[in-house]
Amino acid sequence: MRVVIAEDNPLLRDGIALLLAEHDITVTAAVPDAASLLAAVAADPPDAAVVDVRMPPTHTDEGLRAALTLRSAHPTLGVLVFSQWVETSYARRLLSENAGHVGYLLKDRIVSTDEFIDALHRVAAGGTALDPEVVRQLLATPTVDAGLARLTDREREILALLAEGRSNVAIAEHLHLVERSVEKHVTAIFTKLDLPQARTDHRRVLAVLRHLRA
């Protein structure tokens, strides 16, 4: 895998680069700002980009805006953004652009090497990876969606885990269920949300987006 890093803190930037190198991930560029990120991706497109939401000059949403630009210009590029705190409005903007190839983690999650590397591989492969705290806050708003209202507590629990980007196997292990039981719950979720199987739509992502937008 080839990755570009965009982080203005040189210590954190170098630390991420070393961490990726230890996992046989090639860092094509490590840059301090959004403009350099866009230039680096244009010059040598990687498989994924790791981007801090807040970067110079204002340290507000430069990283997020760059991430949205990258997702629009390079739909197959995996974009994993991170921030110090949960920015639910930012997360919604990322998820509303298009399904897949996107992740949002808190900076603390990078310290947990396995979770960070797993999330990076997931978004590069076309999946999603959301920090559990991001999911919790996004789902905190009461829903008025009739389909979502039909879900059982267990189905809502599984839908939240789907939002984190977990597979059926991972959900089964987390909830101490057999995989077949999880598959039945996921199918029930799709049915209650009126999401028929189709070649062009990823039902898991569509179900998550329904929940996050409610």
Side-chain angles (χ1 to χ4, degrees), residues 187 190-191 194-204 206:
T187 299
F190 294 156
T191 299
D194 299 315
L195 295 174
Q197 189 167 4
R199 293 182 179 179
T200 56
D201 294 327
H202 195 309
R203 292 192 295 173
R204 295 170 79 93
L206 292 176

Side-chain angles (χ1 to χ4, degrees), residues 9-210:
N9 184 319
L11 292 178
L12 181 55
R13 186 171 65 243
D14 292 345
I16 295 174
L18 288 172
L19 176 62
L20 296 182
E22 291 175 357
H23 288 78
D24 298 321
I25 297 174
T26 301
V27 177
T28 60
V31 300
D33 55 62
S36 299
L37 166 64
L38 297 178
V41 172
D44 185 14
D47 299 304
V50 177
V51 185
D52 191 344
V53 166
R54 298 172 181 266
M55 286 195 292
T58 67
H59 292 279
T60 53
D61 66 348
E62 282 87 353
L64 171 74
R65 286 188 279 113
L68 293 173
T69 298
L70 289 177
R71 280 171 58 70
S72 177
H74 308 274
T76 62
L77 173 70
V79 177
L80 180 60
V81 303
F82 60 94
S83 62
Q84 190 67 45
W85 303 281
V86 176
E87 309 271 8
T88 54
S89 61
Y90 293 169
R92 290 181 191 278
R93 286 176 64 185
L94 279 170
L95 292 168
S96 66
E97 290 298 304
N98 52 63
H101 290 287
V102 65
Y104 190 135
L105 299 181
L106 293 181
K107 282 190 176 181
D108 290 346
R109 198 69 59 183
I110 295 178
V111 178
S112 178
T113 303
D114 291 341
E115 292 185 56
F116 173 53
I117 297 300
D118 177 65
L120 187 55
H121 277 288
R122 223 183 298 162
V123 299
T128 57
L130 296 181
D131 193 286
E133 182 59 22
V134 173
V135 173
R136 187 189 70 78
Q137 292 199 28
L138 285 173
L139 298 182
T141 304
T143 179
V144 293
D145 187 305
L148 294 174
R150 293 194 289 265
L151 300 182
T152 65
D153 289 341
R154 174 63 86 184
E155 289 163 354
R156 288 178 180 275
E157 185 177 21
I158 289 175
L159 184 51
L161 293 172
L162 288 177
E164 293 178 20
R166 302 202 190 196
S167 65
N168 287 357
V169 173
I171 293 173
E173 292 176 351
H174 182 77
L175 298 178
H176 305 291
L177 299 172
V178 297
E179 185 180 353
R180 181 57 181 163
S181 177
V182 173
E183 291 174 356
K184 289 182 178 179
H185 282 302
V186 171
T187 299
I189 291 171
F190 294 156
T191 299
K192 292 179 180 180
L193 296 184
D194 299 315
L195 295 174
Q197 189 167 4
R199 293 182 179 179
T200 56
D201 294 327
H202 195 309
R203 292 192 295 173
R204 295 170 79 93
V205 175
L206 292 176
V208 169
L209 292 177
R210 280 275 292 278

